[in-house]
Amino acid sequence: MEVLEALRTRRSIGKLEGDVTDVELRQLVEAGLWAPNHKLTDPLRFVALRGAARERLGQVWAEVAGAVELPPGVTRENFVAKEARKPLRAPLLLAVGVRTDEDAEVAEEDFATAAAAVQNVLLAAHALGLGAIWRTGGMVLAPAIRKHLGFAPTDRIAGIVYVGRPAMVPPTPQPRDVDAHLTILD
Ligand SMILES: Cc1cc2nc3c(=O)[nH]c(=O)nc-3n(C[C@H](O)[C@H](O)[C@H](O)COP(=O)(O)O)c2cc1C
């Protein structure tokens, strides 16, 4: 698939099913590793979760999520059970972790590399005919999740990409208005 066509036609796909092969998984990670990276610091680490590993992540996440104050009318049991199921929304979860350099400028650039890597993964998934969605929220911020996935306490997770076979047709996006977003200085 041509690059411009891929980035125009890629959409977040939240409903995912089926399986992702090892070959596809490796292609996704390789695409992530082609992200531009200033000073070639090699800051990225990917953790792929499949099968029961998603259930174990759900259990850890449910404990974290269940510890907060709940909205009125929601029982803790229902809330925790719902949160525990979240990682089961796709056959493959790919966590994109990034080291936090001691130098704040390098750390910021490395996080930008991680964001570019996530987009590369999304585009590669699309080009392979897979569906994918970039998810963040409390799960990527929780120290217990970082630890569970084997990241260092100072690492950050730029996103967890949920990947599978598309099980929905995404809504048609608004066309992009270049003029409203562009200033040209000659
Ligand atoms: C940094 C970042 C975090 C995101 N986190 C979530 C998320 O936690 N849950 C979710 O449903 N979508 C998440 N998304 C996906 C966006 O909602 C999605 O990209 C947006 O709705 C535009 O849709 P599109 O990707 O189809 O163009 C995230 C996107 C980005 C860039």
Side-chain angles (χ1 to χ4, degrees), residues 6 13 30 46 73 90 99 105 108 114 123 143 149 151 159 163 172:
I13 307 289
E30 188 193 359
F46 297 80
R99 194 173 53 237
E105 189 176 320
E108 183 165 300
L123 288 173
L149 295 180
F151 292 114
V163 190
T172 306

Side-chain angles (χ1 to χ4, degrees), residues 19-39:
D19 279 315
V20 179
T21 67
D22 284 1
V23 170
E24 289 166 329
L25 167 60
R26 296 181 67 82
Q27 285 175 298
L28 297 180
V29 173
E30 188 193 359
L33 290 171
W34 281 117
N37 172 221
H38 193 201
K39 299 179 182 156

Side-chain angles (χ1 to χ4, degrees), residues 58-82:
Q59 291 305 323
V60 176
W61 168 240
E63 271 182 42
V64 174
V68 301
E69 200 175 316
L70 300 182
V74 179
T75 68
R76 195 163 297 276
E77 194 186 10
N78 285 350
F79 182 78
V80 164
K82 188 169 168 230

Side-chain angles (χ1 to χ4, degrees), residues 79-151:
F79 182 78
V80 164
K82 188 169 168 230
E83 293 300 314
R85 283 195 300 273
K86 285 193 165 171
L88 305 180
R89 290 175 291 182
L92 172 72
L93 274 55
L94 189 59
V96 181
V98 55
R99 194 173 53 237
T100 303
D101 199 275
E102 284 177 9
D103 180 314
E105 189 176 320
V106 174
E108 183 165 300
E109 289 178 346
D110 285 347
F111 194 79
T113 286
V118 175
Q119 171 73 339
N120 278 8
V121 170
L122 295 176
L123 288 173
H126 180 47
L128 291 170
L130 295 164
I133 183 167
W134 182 344
R135 292 192 187 273
T136 49
M139 197 184 288
V140 305
L141 298 173
I145 298 293
R146 277 203 292 274
K147 186 172 178 207
H148 178 72
L149 295 180
F151 292 114

